[in-house]
């Protein structure tokens, strides 16, 4: 009877979470409403579509009429009520590059529509932006030994020195993370840094407590993703994918600065989520992905779980990398 009651409670809690997620998506995802963030998301989608079209040099035909018109309308719609920002500047720059492309639309009303926008906002735009396309070729040979060492040398560390983390170190780490690929180049990942001990304590207490190590951290970074940049049903999991990729590159950026770090999973029951947002001030349309606790290394070595890695092809019942029609079963070393 006790197990039955616990099972029912677990199912009810899961249903509450599902309903909470449903309400969240209806309110915050791109598909619904027209808040400024959602307009910017559509601008970035159109920008990316035009840049992709410019990159298809082996298919010489006119492209982009509808998308360029949509982009002009979206830019004007956004700037009617909001100030010029970097996304709008870059989008105007991309339209200028599109107009120079030999395969851009020859439709006169469409080209006039774009030209009018470029003329009106040209003084606000730095046309040295590298919007449009770039050439890509195979890179020079890497020092595989050095790069392998870099990735292998990063471990989760839960004991830190008292040395403060500088703004410059954080900026350098985030600069590296900015190269993270994202769905249609939407770049929806965000970071929130907390260094005040009182704030950090409240965050840790909200997220299942100290666990005998969290209080050692000198800063907490919360990686979030702007849900307004994603389209509801078909993209409902994409924020977590993009945010996870970004978070991994953040810790690699920290590692490059010789800053130790450890992930702490985000507890997302509806009640905990509401409390967390009140503590941190993180906007409702941003989905918290993970917490990164960090600090400089101790002068002496510290212990960390060995956490032996098992490569995907060593796992049971996975596709054999040498033959997609065969499977490794019951793998044993």
């Amino acid at each position: 009877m006790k197990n039955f009651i616990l099972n029912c409670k677990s199912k009810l809690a899961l249903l509450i979470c599902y309903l909470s997620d449903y309400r969240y998506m209806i309110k915050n995802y791109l598909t619904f409403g027209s808040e400024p963030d959602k307009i910017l998301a559509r601008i970035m989608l159109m920008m990316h579509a035009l840049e992709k079209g410019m990159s298809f040099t082996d298919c010489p035909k006119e492209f982009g009429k509808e998308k360029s018109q949509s982009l002009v309308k979206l830019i004007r719609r956004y700037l009617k009520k909001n100030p010029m920002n970097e996304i709008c500047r870059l989008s105007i720059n991309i339209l200028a590059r599109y107009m120079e492309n030999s395969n851009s639309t020859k439709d006169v009303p469409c080209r006039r529509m774009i030209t009018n926008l470029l003329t009106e906002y040209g003084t606000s735009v730095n046309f040295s932006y590298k919007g449009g396309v770039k050439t890509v070729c195979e890179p020079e040979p890497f020092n595989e030994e050095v790069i392998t060492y870099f990735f292998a040398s990063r471990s989760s560390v839960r004991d830190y020195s008292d040395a403060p983390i500088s703004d410059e170190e954080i900026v350098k780490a985030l600069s590296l993370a900015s190269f993270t690929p994202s769905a249609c180049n939407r770049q929806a990942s965000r970071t929130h840094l907390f260094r005040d001990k009182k704030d950090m304590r409240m965050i840790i207490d909200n997220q299942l407590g100290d666990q005998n190590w969290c209080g050692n951290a000198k800063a907490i970074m919360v990686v979030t993703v702007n849900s307004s940049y994603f389209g509801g049903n078909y993209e409902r999991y994409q924020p977590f994918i993009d945010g996870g990729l970004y978070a991994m590159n953040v810790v690699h950026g920290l590692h490059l600065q010789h800053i130790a770090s450890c992930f702490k999973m985000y507890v997302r029951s509806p009640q905990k989520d509401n409390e967390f947002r009140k503590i941190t001030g993180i906007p409702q349309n941003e989905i918290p992905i993970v917490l990164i606790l960090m600090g400089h290394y101790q002068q002496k070595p510290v212990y960390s779980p060995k956490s032996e890695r098992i490569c995907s092809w060593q796992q049971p019942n996975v596709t054999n990398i040498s033959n997609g029609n065969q499977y490794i079963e019951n793998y044993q070393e």
Side-chain angles (χ1 to χ4, degrees):
M1 185 65 180
K2 183 178 180 180
N3 288 339
F4 174 77
I5 294 173
L6 288 174
N7 192 28
C8 289
K9 286 183 177 180
S10 296
K11 290 180 178 178
L12 179 60
L14 189 60
L15 177 60
I16 291 171
C17 289
Y18 280 143
L19 293 174
S20 176
D21 288 346
Y22 174 76
R23 288 194 297 268
Y24 181 89
M25 286 185 179
I26 292 294
K27 183 178 180 180
N28 295 293
Y29 270 58
L30 174 64
T31 311
F32 313 100
S34 57
E35 292 84 353
D37 272 355
K38 296 179 181 180
I39 299 174
L40 287 175
R42 293 186 176 96
I43 287 174
M44 294 193 76
L45 284 168
M46 292 299 105
M47 286 163 49
H48 186 63
L50 285 181
E51 287 190 314
K52 281 199 297 185
M54 285 185 268
S55 71
F56 296 143
T57 55
D58 294 334
C59 185
K61 62 179 181 180
E62 285 187 24
F63 73 96
K65 175 184 174 182
E66 291 80 11
K67 288 181 171 60
S68 60
Q69 287 177 321
S70 295
L71 183 53
V72 171
K73 291 176 183 177
L74 286 165
I75 293 169
R76 289 194 177 280
R77 183 178 170 189
Y78 181 83
L79 293 177
K80 187 175 181 180
K81 295 183 179 180
N82 303 279
M84 176 70 73
N85 61 23
E86 291 304 297
I87 292 177
C88 290
R89 288 190 181 95
L90 181 56
S91 64
I92 293 170
N93 181 279
I94 288 171
L95 281 168
R97 297 291 178 266
Y98 171 71
M99 290 288 279
E100 297 169 357
N101 190 281
S102 60
N103 296 326
S104 61
T105 180
K106 304 303 183 288
D107 182 77
V108 174
C110 179
R111 295 186 71 86
R112 186 184 302 119
M113 184 180 185
I114 299 171
T115 301
N116 289 341
L117 181 79
L118 297 178
T119 302
E120 185 174 347
Y121 290 104
T123 56
S124 302
V125 176
N126 179 2
F127 284 103
S128 65
Y129 271 125
K130 302 301 180 184
V133 296
K134 61 183 178 182
T135 57
V136 179
C137 57
E138 184 177 355
E140 295 294 321
F142 299 110
N143 188 325
E144 186 174 342
E145 185 177 343
V146 171
I147 294 175
T148 300
Y149 170 76
F150 173 78
F151 282 102
S153 64
R154 194 256 156 205
S155 293
S156 293
V157 176
R158 298 172 176 84
D159 194 3
Y160 314 102
S161 76
D162 292 328
I165 298 172
S166 69
D167 291 344
E168 183 182 9
E169 290 170 322
I170 295 295
V171 169
K172 285 183 177 179
L174 296 181
S175 295
L176 187 145
S178 70
F179 294 110
T180 306
S182 59
C184 295
N185 195 36
R186 273 173 268 192
Q187 304 175 54
S189 296
R190 307 287 183 262
T191 54
H192 301 264
L193 185 67
F194 301 89
R195 285 186 282 207
D196 180 81
K197 283 295 182 183
K198 182 180 178 181
D199 292 339
M200 290 169 61
R201 172 52 55 193
M202 293 172 66
I203 291 170
I204 290 168
D205 288 344
N206 174 260
Q207 295 293 304
L208 298 183
D210 183 82
Q211 298 172 320
N212 295 320
W213 70 273
C214 298
N216 297 327
K218 299 302 174 283
I220 297 175
M221 184 180 290
V222 182
V223 174
T224 68
V225 174
N226 189 331
S227 61
S228 300
Y229 279 55
F230 297 91
N233 51 349
Y234 294 121
E235 296 183 339
R236 61 190 182 277
Y237 300 128
Q238 196 62 46
F240 301 98
I241 297 169
D242 282 19
L245 290 170
Y246 184 82
M248 192 66 252
N249 277 341
V250 168
V251 297
H252 280 141
L254 293 171
H255 188 46
L256 194 63
Q257 303 302 310
H258 291 259
I259 295 174
S261 64
C262 186
F263 286 120
K264 184 172 174 62
M265 70 176 187
Y266 180 68
V267 180
R268 63 181 71 253
S269 70
Q271 180 182 352
K272 287 288 184 184
D273 184 72
N274 290 334
E275 293 172 358
F276 182 82
R277 291 178 186 278
K278 289 178 181 178
I279 293 168
T280 60
I282 290 174
Q284 278 293 328
N285 66 335
E286 292 186 24
I287 302 174
I289 303 298
V290 72
L291 282 65
I292 302 173
L293 279 66
M294 65 185 82
H296 281 283
Y297 284 91
Q298 294 271 18
Q299 293 298 313
K300 61 181 181 180
V302 298
Y303 286 107
S304 179
K306 191 172 183 181
S307 301
E308 193 72 34
R309 300 303 195 254
I310 301 173
C311 295
S312 60
W313 63 85
Q314 295 175 318
Q315 297 278 17
N317 303 319
V318 297
T319 304
N320 188 322
I321 60 172
S322 63
N323 186 341
N325 296 320
Q326 295 179 358
Y327 295 88
I328 302 173
E329 294 185 2
N330 302 319
Y331 173 83
Q332 294 180 349
E333 290 193 74

